[in-house]
Amino acid sequence: MEKVKEIVLKFPDTTEVSLERTGIYSLEELLNELSKLRNLRVLRLANNELDHLPADMSSLQKVEYLDLRNNNFKDLQSLMSGLFSLPSLKHLYINLDEKDEDEIIISLSNLLSFNGTPLTDLPDNDFPTIEPEIFLSPINKLQNKHEKEQNTEEGQFAMKTQTKEKEDTITVDLSLESFPDARKLYEAVCLYTSENGDFETFSEVVLKELHQLINPKTDKLKLQAEILNAKKVLFDSSVDGFISKIAENDKKAASVLMIVKNTYSDLCDQYYTLNKQVHVDTSARVSILRSELEKVNKELITLRESSENLRVSYNESEKVRKRIAIDAETEREKLTEEIGYLKTEIEKYKNRLQQFQLNRQRIVSQVNTSPRQFLQHSVRQKSELKSPSKMKPLSLKQLKEIIDEIYSSKVKFDQKCRESNLPRETMEQHLYTFLNQKYGLKPLIYDWATTITHALKKFAKEDNDVNTFGKILRNEIDEEFRLVQKQLKQTVAELLKAFLKGKFSRKLESEISGIIHQKLNGELNEEEWVDIIKYMYNNEDSIAVIIKVNDVIRENQLISGKAKNSSFDAEKGNKVPYRLFVEVLLDFQLEAHEKFLSRYIKIFREIDSNRDGILTDQEFKQLVLRLEPSKSEEEIENWWHLIDPNNHKQITFTESVTYLSADLIKMMNKSRQSTSNLCSSETLDGLNSSI
């Protein structure tokens, strides 16, 4: 820092600053001082500890030459911003990986030379390719003299190596006749000094060295440079003798002649050095181009091989495509024939079904029914005439499998809607979505929908799961209630297991598992099912459920012929099949939930004018005001944004029940609670731990 300040103070107009080997770690502190040197063109920072450049060095506006060799730069990221900010940079010296050096050359388009190598076809008149000596002080020249000699030797070695690779050869004649000018000068000096010299002896050493430097494969440019250098050596030796003779009589004249001689000798040396450097650079570029050409040739060979492989693959794929096309055409013809046959059969069945429907219509018209029933039957018959169902009636097992499949599809579809910010469907809408995804064709969708509807009506009284699905489909209960029923089944099973483990505490686990399996597939004793009911429900509901179970037992005994004179078999007691017992509980739970929602459903249907189970934002406001008239407009608006964050402007029946559950409970608190109190998971955990 002190050195820079001293330079700014003493030499404010200097064009060059050398800070080599000064142990600099960072330029940030020096940059302000260096920017005061308005004429600074050369900045030497070699052999320091720099690992980055300042991001903005634009204050060094006139710097054209920058030497950064032998520092600690690790990557381009620490350099590029600073180099880009130098507006006049033309000559750069730096040690980096070859890849990074190429990146710098490509990025800095204003560079005329890089590490002494010209980057343009025109000669660089501003700076020499090795060192810009026109800006060097005498001290710097003395410091760099040794480095220049080493560079010259390396250039000679590189030139020798490169010339061996030259393919074009020339014939070299290096006899004394090749130096007529040197001979004339030598003889003239000998005549002036009155000496009897032999030019052959005088030039023997020079010619010997010249023969060692060149060979038949030496290129023409180097040959001319070496011959010129040999002539210069001979001229210098002759002129030295001439000046020595003159110095005996006139030392001033001899001094002037020595200056002239040294000046022209230096010019010849500079030309010789420049010629060598050009030869080295040219050879290096030729070598690089050759290596790149070899790479290109290898790539071309690889491309040819790849092209051939692609051609072979294309031919094979073309053969496969033709074979597939032939197979597809054959299959299409077969399908066309089958479709024609099926169309004929379908027409036959249509004619038969239409005739059957006509006969049925005549019979129905004769039956004494109410006008409403007759109208409903006529509408249904008309629909069946348009597209009669081809489906066989579903069994209870088949229907329950379809219901489970629809439930699973609805859960996945709701998840996709949440992820895609789409509105949720009602169960009725999803039924047709499910059938459309599975079958696609409208006739099949209609047939399946009709068949499922008939099956729901047929088995609703027999099976609670079917009845629950039908009510969800008709928006009479919410979709989440099926999870309550599922939890009820699990709770009953867990309570039975807990009861049996407590009752048979001394039995092995395997024996208890066998008893549990037997009970789940058989009958429950009165002690067992009564204990489960009392544990699950309060006193009032327990009595109601026990009465229902007794009714089921009585009906079951009457059906199976076990009852005598409408009385129970006292010996066997009030046993009930486990399946019927669960059905009673499920039916009771369903009835209680329907009663809980009855008033809400009435209000919902009054507002839902099109009966599609979906409310708009305006209809939702009406619903909330009917349930809670004290709600303000702002509260309802905030609630709606919470329910419908994606602004779909609609909400399903199930969603409304979920979000308005607190208000529904508040509304039902005015009357007797009819819902069942299922045992919680904490209660089950406590029961299991006590057992």
Side-chain angles (χ1 to χ4, degrees):
M1 186 67 177
E2 297 299 329
K3 182 178 180 180
V4 176
K5 290 182 178 179
E6 183 180 359
I7 293 173
V8 173
L9 182 63
K10 293 182 179 180
F11 308 102
D13 296 325
T14 184
T15 60
E16 174 186 358
V17 171
S18 177
L19 298 174
E20 297 182 356
R21 298 183 176 88
T22 55
I24 299 174
Y25 287 88
S26 173
L27 288 181
E28 276 78 6
E29 298 180 359
L30 303 178
L31 195 58
N32 291 332
E33 296 295 329
L34 292 174
S35 62
K36 296 177 181 178
L37 302 174
R38 298 301 180 185
N39 297 321
L40 182 62
R41 297 181 64 193
V42 178
L43 181 58
R44 302 179 183 277
L45 299 170
N47 301 300
N48 281 295
E49 303 297 327
L50 294 173
D51 59 359
H52 72 283
L53 293 180
D56 184 8
M57 298 175 67
S58 58
S59 58
L60 306 178
Q61 296 183 358
K62 294 186 178 181
V63 171
E64 299 180 7
Y65 176 93
L66 181 61
D67 188 357
L68 298 171
R69 289 176 292 184
N70 301 324
N71 277 283
N72 297 329
F73 301 114
K74 297 180 180 179
D75 53 44
L76 289 179
Q77 303 299 325
S78 59
L79 292 170
M80 293 306 291
S81 299
L83 295 177
F84 270 123
S85 65
L86 292 172
S88 303
L89 183 63
K90 295 181 180 179
H91 308 275
L92 177 63
Y93 287 79
I94 190 169
N95 305 109
L96 292 170
D97 294 336
E98 183 178 351
K99 182 178 179 181
D100 294 338
E101 291 181 352
D102 293 341
E103 184 69 20
I104 289 180
I105 293 172
I106 294 172
S107 302
L108 301 178
S109 58
N110 293 330
L111 285 182
L112 299 179
S113 69
F114 182 78
N115 288 340
T117 302
L119 301 179
T120 61
D121 295 331
L122 297 175
D124 183 7
N125 295 325
D126 293 333
F127 294 90
T129 56
I130 302 176
E131 290 285 339
E133 291 187 350
I134 61 173
F135 298 111
L136 292 177
S137 63
I139 296 176
N140 294 132
K141 289 182 179 180
L142 291 174
Q143 289 176 346
N144 295 331
K145 182 176 180 181
H146 180 66
E147 294 179 4
K148 294 175 72 175
E149 292 176 353
Q150 289 182 342
N151 291 337
T152 303
E153 292 176 358
E154 292 174 359
Q156 290 178 351
F157 176 77
M159 188 167 61
K160 290 178 183 179
T161 305
Q162 296 295 332
T163 53
K164 290 181 181 179
E165 298 177 358
K166 295 291 184 178
E167 295 180 356
D168 49 332
T169 60
I170 57 175
T171 303
V172 183
D173 182 12
L174 297 178
S175 62
L176 294 178
E177 285 72 15
S178 301
F179 305 92
D181 296 334
R183 179 187 287 276
K184 289 180 181 180
L185 179 61
Y186 176 75
E187 290 176 352
V189 171
C190 288
L191 181 63
Y192 179 79
T193 58
S194 302
E195 294 180 358
N196 294 323
D198 182 16
F199 181 71
E200 183 175 353
T201 304
F202 173 73
S203 61
E204 181 179 359
V205 176
V206 176
L207 291 178
K208 185 176 180 181
E209 292 179 355
L210 182 61
H211 277 288
Q212 292 176 351
L213 290 174
I214 61 177
N215 55 62
K217 292 186 178 181
T218 303
D219 64 276
K220 190 174 182 180
L221 183 62
K222 181 181 178 183
L223 176 62
Q224 291 177 352
E226 295 296 341
I227 292 175
L228 180 61
N229 189 56
K231 288 181 179 181
K232 192 267 299 183
V233 173
L234 293 175
F235 287 169
D236 287 348
S237 299
S238 297
V239 172
D240 286 341
F242 174 69
I243 293 173
S244 299
K245 186 66 177 178
I246 292 178
E248 295 175 359
N249 300 318
D250 190 349
K251 292 185 178 180
K252 290 184 178 180
S255 177
V256 172
L257 289 175
M258 180 59 71
I259 292 173
V260 173
K261 175 254 180 183
N262 288 338
T263 300
Y264 279 97
S265 180
D266 288 343
L267 289 174
C268 290
D269 287 338
Q270 290 180 11
Y271 172 76
Y272 178 71
T273 302
L274 179 62
N275 190 296
K276 280 187 173 183
Q277 185 62 38
V278 170
H279 180 267
V280 171
D281 294 342
T282 304
S283 300
R285 289 190 178 185
V286 169
S287 177
I288 292 172
L289 290 174
R290 283 179 177 173
S291 62
E292 291 180 352
L293 183 60
E294 291 177 358
K295 292 180 181 178
V296 170
N297 288 333
K298 292 180 180 179
E299 291 178 357
L300 286 174
I301 293 172
T302 304
L303 287 174
R304 289 195 193 99
E305 293 176 353
S306 300
S307 176
E308 183 64 23
N309 293 334
L310 286 174
R311 188 183 64 79
V312 173
S313 299
Y314 172 77
N315 292 336
E316 293 178 354
S317 63
E318 189 66 18
K319 292 179 182 178
V320 173
R321 187 189 66 79
K322 290 180 179 179
R323 184 168 64 252
I324 292 174
I326 293 172
D327 295 342
E329 182 64 23
T330 304
E331 189 67 22
R332 188 184 67 81
E333 292 176 356
K334 292 181 180 179
L335 289 175
T336 302
E337 294 178 359
E338 292 180 1
I339 290 171
Y341 172 76
L342 290 174
K343 284 183 178 180
T344 304
E345 293 297 318
I346 288 171
E347 289 298 325
K348 293 180 181 179
Y349 282 114
K350 280 185 178 181
N351 294 333
R352 294 177 185 175
L353 285 172
Q354 288 176 356
Q355 186 64 37
F356 172 77
Q357 294 295 342
L358 291 173
N359 295 333
R360 182 181 177 185
Q361 187 176 12
R362 295 193 197 99
I363 297 171
V364 170
S365 62
Q366 299 173 3
V367 178
N368 185 17
T369 58
S370 65
R372 182 178 178 182
Q373 292 174 335
F374 181 78
L375 180 60
Q376 291 177 348
H377 184 78
S378 298
V379 171
R380 185 170 63 253
Q381 186 178 25
K382 184 176 180 181
S383 175
E384 292 173 351
L385 283 172
K386 288 182 179 179
S387 181
S389 175
K390 310 174 190 63
M391 303 293 297
K392 293 182 179 180
L394 295 174
S395 65
L396 177 59
K397 180 180 178 181
Q398 291 172 331
L399 177 60
K400 295 185 72 171
E401 289 175 353
I402 293 173
I403 290 173
D404 290 339
E405 195 173 352
I406 293 173
Y407 279 148
S408 299
S409 174
K410 183 67 164 62
V411 171
K412 294 177 182 177
F413 189 82
D414 288 346
Q415 180 65 28
K416 290 181 180 179
C417 289
R418 283 192 293 271
E419 294 172 355
S420 305
N421 296 326
L422 296 175
R424 186 174 174 180
E425 289 184 341
T426 64
M427 186 61 76
E428 182 182 11
Q429 289 175 329
H430 188 71
L431 172 63
Y432 290 95
T433 300
F434 168 78
L435 295 175
N436 183 56
Q437 291 176 347
K438 191 168 184 179
Y439 302 106
L441 299 176
K442 288 184 178 180
L444 284 176
I445 295 172
Y446 171 78
D447 289 344
W448 273 101
T450 304
T451 303
I452 291 172
T453 303
H454 291 333
L456 289 174
K457 293 179 180 179
K458 179 180 178 181
F459 297 111
K461 294 182 179 180
E462 297 182 22
D463 189 89
N464 182 270
D465 293 337
V466 174
N467 194 19
T468 300
F469 179 75
K471 290 182 180 296
I472 292 174
L473 205 62
R474 296 189 296 273
N475 294 314
E476 295 176 2
I477 58 174
D478 56 291
E479 296 176 23
E480 310 306 326
F481 181 72
R482 67 183 182 87
L483 302 178
V484 175
Q485 298 292 70
K486 182 178 180 181
Q487 180 63 39
L488 186 143
K489 295 177 184 178
Q490 295 175 357
T491 301
V492 173
E494 291 296 329
L495 289 174
L496 177 61
K497 292 178 183 178
F499 179 85
L500 294 176
K501 285 182 179 180
K503 184 177 180 180
F504 303 106
S505 58
R506 296 185 178 182
K507 290 184 178 293
L508 298 175
E509 188 68 26
S510 58
E511 294 176 337
I512 295 176
S513 298
I515 296 172
I516 293 172
H517 179 74
Q518 183 181 1
K519 293 291 183 180
L520 294 176
N521 294 281
E523 294 180 332
L524 299 180
N525 296 325
E526 183 176 6
E527 177 188 8
E528 296 165 347
W529 59 262
V530 169
D531 186 77
I532 292 173
I533 292 173
K534 289 182 177 180
Y535 193 89
M536 291 179 62
Y537 300 100
N538 57 34
N539 292 333
E540 184 179 355
D541 290 340
S542 295
I543 294 172
V545 175
I546 289 173
I547 292 173
K548 288 181 177 293
V549 173
N550 282 321
D551 291 341
V552 169
I553 293 172
R554 184 178 293 105
E555 291 175 4
N556 188 49
Q557 289 179 346
L558 288 172
I559 293 172
S560 60
K562 294 180 179 180
K564 296 181 181 179
N565 298 324
S566 299
S567 60
F568 294 105
D569 190 343
E571 295 180 358
K572 292 189 176 181
N574 289 340
K575 290 186 178 181
V576 61
Y578 179 80
R579 180 183 61 81
L580 294 179
F581 174 69
V582 174
E583 283 289 327
V584 171
L585 299 184
L586 293 173
D587 290 340
F588 180 80
Q589 197 72 24
L590 179 59
E591 290 173 5
H593 194 61
E594 284 185 290
K595 187 175 181 181
F596 173 75
L597 293 176
S598 59
R599 184 181 172 190
Y600 176 76
I601 292 173
K602 182 179 179 181
I603 299 173
F604 186 92
R605 289 180 176 175
E606 289 175 0
I607 297 174
D608 182 21
S609 56
N610 58 359
R611 297 298 181 89
D612 61 352
I614 296 175
L615 296 182
T616 63
D617 52 346
Q618 297 300 323
E619 292 173 337
F620 177 77
K621 291 179 182 178
Q622 298 178 31
L623 178 66
V624 174
L625 291 174
R626 290 283 297 274
L627 295 175
E628 189 64 39
S630 61
K631 291 283 186 182
S632 65
E633 190 76 16
E634 184 179 359
E635 288 178 326
I636 298 175
E637 193 69 25
N638 293 335
W639 206 354
W640 177 257
H641 289 313
L642 180 65
I643 297 172
D644 184 27
N646 299 309
N647 199 26
H648 296 136
K649 295 188 180 301
Q650 68 176 47
I651 183 173
T652 65
F653 172 78
T654 295
E655 289 177 311
S656 71
V657 172
T658 301
Y659 288 113
L660 299 175
S661 57
D663 292 271
L664 294 177
I665 293 172
K666 188 184 298 183
M667 181 177 67
M668 292 304 297
N669 280 338
K670 298 176 182 179
S671 61
R672 184 178 62 87
Q673 293 184 358
S674 299
T675 55
S676 304
N677 299 318
L678 285 174
C679 65
S680 62
S681 59
E682 292 82 359
T683 306
L684 285 177
D685 292 339
L687 179 62
N688 290 332
S689 61
S690 64
I691 294 173

